[in-house]
């Protein structure tokens, strides 16, 4: 059987990525710019140049590896006539199929892409040390690099990129670094942008290549209009499509929020390994969350309206952990949020008790219904076997009260208050909203949360302050009196000392 030749037309930025002579390439490209094609080409070149070699493919989490990185790699390889279960196998050794074995065979194969010439890609998860154990790689290549933690990347991948073979000495990609990402939209991705400075300082070794989706002539012009019509804000449209970094928020309402201190990743990788590379969407439920105390109640806080959001948390010893957030937009309704997302996700949870919080508008009646928003949620949860305690009481706190308490907790100087910790992979939209919510001085005095984006129909409402309001309510209800009492004691102490 004679295989047909396949011609792949590359855009100018894609061709630049291919012919750039630098060994280390960092590619910042808007969605639709053709990142998947470039990743597939680069993987193919690594396999072609270095048979039997091992390559590191980092991922921020094992969950990301299964749900995003692996599908993207498989799609990219197919662009160059390399097909799964024909030209490579995933999650197993191809030895029984006659594949050559790599110079250094891994101890386990569930995170391996194996090619007939013996080359392998080892998916290395930053939240699972076992996926990179024993790795001695000849090159590294990663997708969605803005999600990576640079310190973990150094420890789990870069330090392993040291393998040498006399036969590979003349290979241009030996010891190479290859990373692709769209423009970072939160603080975590700053390290990737900083690589541009590294490339400018060392242009012989590093290339930093940038391109927007406009560089891809094969995209239908109607696609760009569709993106704008799909409620994409100018900031997000610029970042995701045009590859323009979002402006930094200087006067943030959550000014003490620090990704290094307050964000964490904690997956149950033993569970993820059991579902493996054939995982379906329904497998990604709360069983994958290692931070969840399965025998303790959940704190659920809801923001109501055309946009309905829910933030789920637990108070665990001295830490207030924000476990996951959900949302639906019109025409989806409040029922849809819980029936389609929240309840299925937490079906494996053992303790079916919920402490329910939300804004005081939750007491308002639903249109054409005898029930309030809170009553509707309680009815839905109860029908699915949950017991609900409604916790929202009293007058709504002021923005100034929220600002002072939350930032005091983020600063972590008061031992009577728990530390706030946010599960980063499970709360991407909440994190963007927290990082981008502005503060200003109120005309009535004090600090005010800027909520203009909630009234902007072109702004993606999951990144407006809605979810941050759901984030605030339980914290204010549970800890504001403790905070005020502590502050009063400090004031009395200062007066008596004086």
């Amino acid at each position: 059987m004679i295989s047909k030749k396949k011609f792949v037309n590359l855009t100018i930025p894609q061709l630049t990525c291919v012919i750039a002579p630098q060994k280390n390439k960092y590619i910042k490209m808007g969605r639709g710019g053709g990142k998947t094609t470039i990743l597939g080409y680069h993987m193919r070149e690594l396999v072609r140049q270095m048979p039997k070699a091992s390559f590191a493919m980092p991922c921020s989490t094992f969950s990301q590896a299964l749900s995003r990185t692996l599908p993207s790699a498989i799609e990219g390889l197919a662009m160059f006539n390399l097909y799964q279960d024909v030209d490579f196998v995933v999650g197993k050794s191809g030895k029984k199929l006659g594949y050559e074995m790599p110079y250094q065979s891994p101890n386990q194969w569930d995170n391996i892409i194996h090619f007939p010439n013996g080359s392998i890609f080892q998916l290395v998860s930053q939240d699972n040390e076992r996926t990179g154990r024993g790795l001695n790689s000849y090159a590294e290549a990663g997708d969605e690099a803005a999600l990576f933690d640079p310190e973990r990347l150094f420890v789990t991948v870069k330090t392993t990129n040291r393998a040498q073979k006399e036969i590979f000495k003349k290979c241009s990609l030996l010891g190479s670094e290859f990373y692709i990402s769209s423009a970072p939209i939160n603080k975590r991705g700053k390290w990737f942008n900083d690589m541009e400075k590294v490339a400018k300082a060392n242009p012989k070794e590093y290339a930093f290549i940038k391109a927007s989706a406009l560089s891809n002539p094969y995209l239908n012009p109607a696609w760009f209009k569709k993106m704008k019509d799909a409620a994409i804000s100018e900031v997000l449209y610029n970042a995701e499509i045009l590859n323009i970094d979002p402006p930094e928020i200087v006067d943030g309402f959550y000014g003490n929020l620090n990704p290094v201190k307050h964000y964490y990743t904690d997956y149950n990788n033993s569970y993820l390994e059991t579902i493996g590379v054939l995982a379906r969407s329904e497998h990604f439920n709360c069983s994958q969350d290692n931070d969840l105390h399965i025998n303790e109640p959940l704190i659920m806080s809801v923001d109501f309206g055309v946009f309905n959001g829910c933030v789920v948390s637990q108070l665990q010893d001295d830490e207030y952990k924000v476990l996951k957030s959900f949302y639906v937009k019109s025409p989806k309704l409040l029922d849809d949020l819980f029936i389609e997302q929240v309840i299925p996700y937490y079906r494996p949870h053992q303790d079916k008790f919920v402490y329910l919080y939300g804004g005081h508008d939750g007491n308002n009646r639903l249109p054409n219904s005898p029930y309030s928003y809170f009553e509707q949620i309680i009815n839905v949860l109860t029908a699915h076997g949950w017991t609900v305690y409604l916790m929202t009481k009293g007058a709504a706190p002021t923005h100034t009260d929220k600002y002072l308490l939350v930032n005091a907790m983020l600063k972590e100087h008061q031992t009577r208050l728990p530390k706030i910790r946010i599960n980063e992979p499970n709360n991407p939209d909440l994190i963007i909203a927290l990082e981008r919510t502005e503060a200003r001085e109120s005309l009535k005095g004090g600090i005010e949360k800027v909520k203009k984006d909630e009234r902007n129909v072109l702004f993606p409402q999951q990144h407006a302050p809605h979810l941050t309001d759901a984030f605030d309510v339980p914290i204010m209800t549970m800890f504001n009196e403790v905070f005020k009492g502590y502050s009063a004691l400090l004031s009395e102490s200062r007066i008596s000392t004086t």
Side-chain angles (χ1 to χ4, degrees), residues 215-277:
S215 66
N216 189 346
Y218 306 107
L219 287 176
N220 189 327
W223 181 79
F224 292 93
K225 183 178 184 302
K226 182 180 179 181
M227 292 299 98
K228 283 200 169 184
D229 291 345
I232 298 295
S233 72
E234 183 178 359
V235 169
L236 269 295
Y237 179 82
N238 286 346
E240 296 286 349
I241 308 301
L242 302 184
N243 209 35
I244 299 172
D245 292 317
E248 185 177 353
I249 299 297
V250 178
D251 299 317
F253 191 83
Y254 304 90
N256 287 331
L257 190 64
N258 183 330
V260 175
K261 180 191 291 186
H262 300 117
Y263 304 163
Y264 71 91
T265 298
D266 192 7
Y267 277 116
N268 181 354
N269 287 309
S270 297
Y271 167 76
L272 291 170
E273 287 169 3
T274 64
I275 63 176
V277 297

Side-chain angles (χ1 to χ4, degrees), residues 166-412:
E166 185 68 26
I167 194 174
F168 297 149
K169 265 194 170 181
K170 294 184 179 180
C171 294
S172 63
L173 295 179
L174 176 64
S176 62
E177 301 174 9
F178 184 87
Y179 290 100
I180 310 177
S181 180
S182 53
I185 54 178
N186 62 34
K187 295 177 182 177
R188 174 71 74 189
K190 183 178 182 297
W191 80 272
F192 185 78
N193 278 343
D194 289 344
M195 290 305 301
E196 185 171 10
K197 299 175 185 176
V198 175
K200 288 180 178 178
N202 192 1
K204 290 185 178 180
E205 292 293 324
Y206 289 86
F208 194 90
I209 300 167
K210 297 185 288 186
S212 77
L214 294 171
S215 66
N216 189 346
Y218 306 107
L219 287 176
N220 189 327
W223 181 79
F224 292 93
K225 183 178 184 302
K226 182 180 179 181
M227 292 299 98
K228 283 200 169 184
D229 291 345
I232 298 295
S233 72
E234 183 178 359
V235 169
L236 269 295
Y237 179 82
N238 286 346
E240 296 286 349
I241 308 301
L242 302 184
N243 209 35
I244 299 172
D245 292 317
E248 185 177 353
I249 299 297
V250 178
D251 299 317
F253 191 83
Y254 304 90
N256 287 331
L257 190 64
N258 183 330
V260 175
K261 180 191 291 186
H262 300 117
Y263 304 163
Y264 71 91
T265 298
D266 192 7
Y267 277 116
N268 181 354
N269 287 309
S270 297
Y271 167 76
L272 291 170
E273 287 169 3
T274 64
I275 63 176
V277 297
L278 299 178
R280 299 187 301 274
S281 59
E282 59 266 27
H283 291 136
F284 295 100
N285 54 44
C286 72
S287 296
Q288 71 176 335
D289 295 333
N290 201 49
D291 55 344
L292 176 67
H293 287 189
I294 62 172
N295 293 312
E296 295 180 11
L298 298 176
I299 297 168
M300 292 187 184
S301 182
V302 185
D303 189 73
F304 308 96
V306 175
F307 175 94
N308 290 287
C310 177
V311 176
V312 181
S313 309
Q314 280 185 332
L315 180 60
Q316 301 176 1
D317 299 323
D318 67 337
E319 292 185 337
Y320 181 83
K321 288 193 173 181
V322 183
L323 304 176
K324 190 167 178 63
S325 47
F326 307 84
Y327 69 87
V328 293
K329 302 178 186 179
S330 178
K332 294 281 188 179
L333 303 173
L334 187 60
D335 277 13
D336 299 319
L337 174 65
F338 282 85
I339 294 173
E340 296 178 5
Q341 295 188 40
V342 179
I343 292 172
Y345 191 84
Y346 284 104
R347 186 166 287 122
H349 189 60
Q350 297 298 305
D351 192 320
K352 294 291 195 294
F353 286 82
V354 169
Y355 294 113
L356 181 62
Y357 294 81
H360 287 74
D361 52 349
N363 295 309
N364 298 337
R365 298 292 177 190
L366 283 161
N368 303 316
S369 171
Y371 301 111
S372 69
Y373 289 106
F374 281 134
E375 289 168 340
Q376 184 70 11
I377 295 171
I378 293 170
N379 290 341
V380 171
L381 286 170
T382 302
H384 286 82
W386 292 78
T387 300
V388 184
Y389 300 97
L390 182 59
M391 305 300 294
T392 296
K393 300 173 183 177
T398 67
H399 284 196
T400 299
D401 286 340
K402 291 182 180 181
Y403 178 83
L404 294 174
L405 171 60
V406 174
N407 279 289
M409 292 176 68
L410 292 172
K411 205 167 185 178
E412 299 182 6

